[in-house]
Amino acid sequence: MTAGAVALATAAVLAVPQSARAAETSPIGFGAGTTGGGSASAVTVSTLDAFKSAVTGSTAKVVKVNGLIPLSGSVDIGSNTTVLGVGSSSGFTGGGLRLKKVTNVVVRNLNISKPLAPADGIEVQASTKVWIDHNSFSADRDHDKDYYDGLLDINHASDNVTVSWNTFKNHFKGSLVGHSDNNASEDTGHLKVTYHHNWFDNVYSRIPSLRFGTGHFYDNYVVGAETAVHSRMGAQMLVENNVFRSTGVAVTTNRSSDVDGYANLRGNDLGGAATEISRVGTFTSAPYGYTAEPASTVVASVTGGAGAGKL
């Protein structure tokens, strides 16, 4: 390689933000401080029975999943747990994981596919301090929209969640935050979620759909959505430095619910997508430290760094 070629290659690497070249070792955003099982000795499992046994209880634990395990329904995960896929092709298919009334859970590097209803790929219910990072969620769009359930749903006043560097592909209902218009008494003041550096590819809607809560959606790449970000029932959303392609509506605040949501937009590359902002919100500054890379580098960062096998 000539000296000039070396210089060009070096410049290209340096042009990619540091976040794309090294996976975070701890969550950024509302889920900051989540440690899961921390430094507990890891146990590796390859069967459903072994996995169920390993993730129960609230003692600190790190559970490594080796291989693709079929599920029927959902498996409950205990508090103070890290679930970590081995390699690039380990995980679960046919069902999902449920975090119900737990705290301090990390889920990383898993393939989670085709969660048959009523199971979600991951459901976070009445839980706090959750980090969902570098997973590959997928289904197909060969069935009706209710054949599979959500890829990632967060509900019942869950709080302090970060969703980072995941891929969501080939699905109708991507990520629902807040399950019902009628749950204001429980959800108001909760459902604080950060989404950053995720890749939504051929996901029809709910990218995400947020009721009542506070959502920060930055540096994500959305391709092929009908309706992407949806703020409803008074939710506050900051939508920052994202890229949208082949998308009908990038952000809406006035669909499908009796009460509109709020949204603030800045630095996005809409790629010709429409926006429907009926109410501009007050959430303009996130209450934590982060660095949002410009939209011009998001596609390279996300396609190069998101999903299982990219840690």
Side-chain angles (χ1 to χ4, degrees):
M1 183 179 287
T2 67
V6 170
L8 287 172
T10 301
V13 171
L14 292 175
V16 178
Q18 180 65 31
S19 59
R21 288 183 271 133
E24 287 102 8
T25 57
S26 59
I28 295 168
F30 282 117
T34 304
T35 58
S39 59
S41 298
V43 57
T44 300
V45 301
S46 57
T47 68
L48 179 56
D49 286 344
F51 178 70
K52 286 180 175 179
S53 177
V55 296
T56 59
S58 59
T59 57
K61 52 200 170 295
V62 176
V63 181
K64 293 185 175 182
V65 177
N66 187 14
L68 190 64
I69 299 175
L71 295 182
S72 176
S74 299
V75 177
D76 286 318
I77 310 299
S79 294
N80 304 309
T81 302
T82 295
V83 181
L84 180 66
V86 175
S88 61
S89 56
S90 295
F92 304 95
T93 186
L97 309 180
R98 185 170 65 173
L99 284 56
K100 182 177 181 180
K101 297 182 179 179
V102 295
T103 188
N104 194 30
V105 176
V106 174
V107 181
R108 305 184 82 189
N109 204 50
L110 295 175
N111 292 273
I112 298 176
S113 63
K114 299 185 176 180
L116 292 172
D120 297 310
I122 295 179
E123 181 184 12
V124 181
Q125 182 182 136
S127 295
T128 61
K129 296 182 66 178
V130 175
W131 186 24
I132 298 168
D133 178 71
H134 276 94
N135 303 288
S136 294
F137 296 87
S138 66
D140 61 56
R141 290 176 60 176
D142 301 332
H143 303 82
D144 71 74
K145 66 181 180 63
D146 296 318
Y147 183 79
Y148 301 113
D149 217 327
L151 292 179
L152 169 61
D153 284 7
I154 301 166
N155 54 46
H156 288 286
S158 291
D159 240 340
N160 299 323
V161 179
T162 290
V163 180
S164 56
W165 295 100
N166 303 282
T167 61
F168 298 83
K169 297 191 175 184
N170 302 323
H171 194 59
F172 280 102
K173 301 178 291 187
S175 188
L176 179 65
V177 184
H179 68 288
S180 169
D181 285 2
N182 301 317
N183 207 47
S185 61
E186 181 181 23
D187 287 342
T188 300
H190 301 288
L191 298 175
K192 295 186 286 291
V193 185
T194 300
Y195 291 79
H196 73 85
H197 291 95
N198 301 287
W199 182 5
F200 296 86
D201 186 4
N202 194 36
V203 176
Y204 186 83
S205 64
R206 300 183 181 179
I207 306 175
S209 172
L210 174 62
R211 293 178 172 98
F212 302 111
T214 303
H216 188 192
F217 189 80
Y218 76 90
D219 286 343
N220 300 283
Y221 180 36
V222 180
V223 185
E226 177 63 26
T227 304
V229 179
H230 187 183
S231 179
R232 56 208 289 200
M233 297 305 297
Q236 294 274 354
M237 293 200 71
L238 174 58
V239 183
E240 178 180 17
N241 293 20
N242 304 284
V243 175
F244 300 87
R245 293 290 183 265
S246 302
T247 292
V249 177
V251 185
T252 183
T253 62
N254 60 356
R255 292 189 178 209
S256 305
S257 287
D258 292 336
V259 179
D260 290 0
Y262 298 88
N264 277 282
L265 278 62
R266 64 175 178 236
N268 299 288
D269 178 352
L270 298 176
T275 59
E276 302 170 345
I277 309 301
S278 59
R279 301 204 290 185
V280 175
T282 58
F283 180 35
T284 59
S285 179
Y288 46 77
Y290 72 102
T291 300
E293 63 179 287
S296 59
T297 62
V298 162
V299 174
S301 292
V302 171
T303 58
K310 301 294 182 65
L311 283 176

